[in-house]
Amino acid sequence: MPAQAVAQVAAGSKEYKSLGLQLQFNTPFITYVFIKKHQPRDGEADIGYALYVTGLPLGLTDELSLQQLFGVFGEVQTVAVHPTKRSAAVVYKSKDDLSEALAHASSGQIIECPLPLPDGPVGLKAWIAEHKAQRPGNEVLQEQLDEWVEAHEAAEAARVAARQAAMADDGWTVVVRSKGRKRAKGVGGVSTVSGGIAAAAASVAHAAAEAKQVKQANNFYRFQQRDKRRNGELGGTGLFDV
């Protein structure tokens, strides 16, 4: 905590004593925490030789670290960190240990308490890293999208195949019209898939197509015969003779 903030806290309450901590080697920066003898509130039980600590810095908010720090003044019985992670209660085993901690803070001496370096980013950098990890890049998103499309198309193909199989089992003729450049092998550009009556239906369709072609040929032959007869009849009357 900066020196100006230290002065403000000290002026606000004479009960608090500032305890300077050097949390990193080879650095001139000093972090201050504030301690005082814990006074139970009305209705609260006395928890013994307790020290109230506030202004905890980042990285010094767990019970083990606080026990090691305040253990230099005496034997620590227990440590309780408050939910805000900004204050804690340190309970010593004897009154002399509590007095030693308060006396050291009054002397203004600095305690070297180097914190272990974090394995990864902390603070805002840690939040940014977590945010990026939850939102992958465009390449990863494209791969996920391609996988989803392939799975969706496979599921649709399986659904269509199951529906066609069910229709075939019921005796229906499933007709699939050709698309694109593919040519149907059936009659009239229609491919016939065998169901209960697929073979008979294909035979009937083929016979109908052949009958249609024969009928067209016969009609054309009749037209030629009728035209020839009409020309012969007109020629026999002599109307066009000179």
Side-chain angles (χ1 to χ4, degrees):
M1 185 175 290
Q4 184 178 2
V6 172
Q8 291 177 355
V9 174
S13 177
K14 295 182 180 180
E15 296 180 357
Y16 282 101
K17 300 180 184 299
S18 60
L19 182 63
L21 306 175
Q22 188 175 11
L23 301 179
Q24 295 180 0
F25 290 116
N26 301 324
T27 177
F29 297 103
I30 304 300
T31 301
Y32 288 90
V33 296
F34 298 91
I35 63 176
K36 71 174 182 178
K37 186 179 183 304
H38 176 71
Q39 299 293 338
R41 299 178 182 177
D42 295 338
E44 290 183 351
D46 190 2
I47 57 177
Y49 308 110
L51 187 69
Y52 180 76
V53 186
T54 186
L56 296 177
L58 183 66
L60 195 63
T61 56
D62 60 281
E63 287 81 359
L64 181 59
S65 299
L66 291 174
Q67 186 173 6
Q68 293 176 352
L69 170 62
F70 288 95
V72 298
F73 306 119
E75 185 176 355
V76 176
Q77 185 174 358
T78 183
V79 176
V81 179
H82 299 154
T84 59
K85 300 293 185 180
R86 297 294 295 167
S87 60
V90 180
V91 181
Y92 285 100
K93 194 172 182 178
S94 67
K95 182 179 180 181
D96 294 338
D97 298 337
L98 174 62
S99 300
E100 179 67 21
L102 294 173
H104 189 90
S106 300
S107 66
Q109 297 181 7
I110 305 300
I111 300 178
E112 292 184 355
C113 181
L115 296 177
L117 296 177
D119 297 334
V122 295
L124 182 59
K125 292 183 178 180
W127 182 87
I128 294 176
E130 182 180 359
H131 179 80
K132 290 183 177 180
Q134 295 177 354
R135 293 163 177 81
N138 294 334
E139 295 181 358
V140 178
L141 292 177
Q142 186 63 45
E143 292 178 359
Q144 295 177 354
L145 181 60
D146 293 340
E147 293 177 357
W148 182 88
V149 171
E150 291 178 0
H152 177 73
E153 291 179 348
E156 285 294 317
R159 185 179 63 83
V160 172
R163 185 178 62 182
Q164 292 180 354
M167 294 175 63
D169 292 340
D170 292 339
W172 292 87
T173 300
V174 181
V175 179
V176 181
R177 185 167 297 278
S178 303
K179 295 183 179 180
R181 298 181 179 179
K182 296 180 180 180
R183 295 182 179 179
K185 297 182 180 180
V187 179
V190 176
S191 300
T192 305
V193 181
S194 297
I197 55 173
S203 177
V204 171
H206 184 68
E210 291 183 349
K212 184 177 181 181
Q213 293 178 358
V214 172
K215 184 177 180 181
Q216 290 177 352
N218 293 336
N219 290 341
F220 182 73
Y221 177 75
R222 292 194 191 95
F223 172 78
Q224 288 181 331
Q225 293 294 329
R226 186 172 60 253
D227 188 60
K228 185 176 181 180
R229 265 195 323 273
R230 182 178 60 186
N231 290 337
E233 292 175 358
L234 292 177
T237 58
L239 294 178
F240 295 97
D241 295 341
V242 178

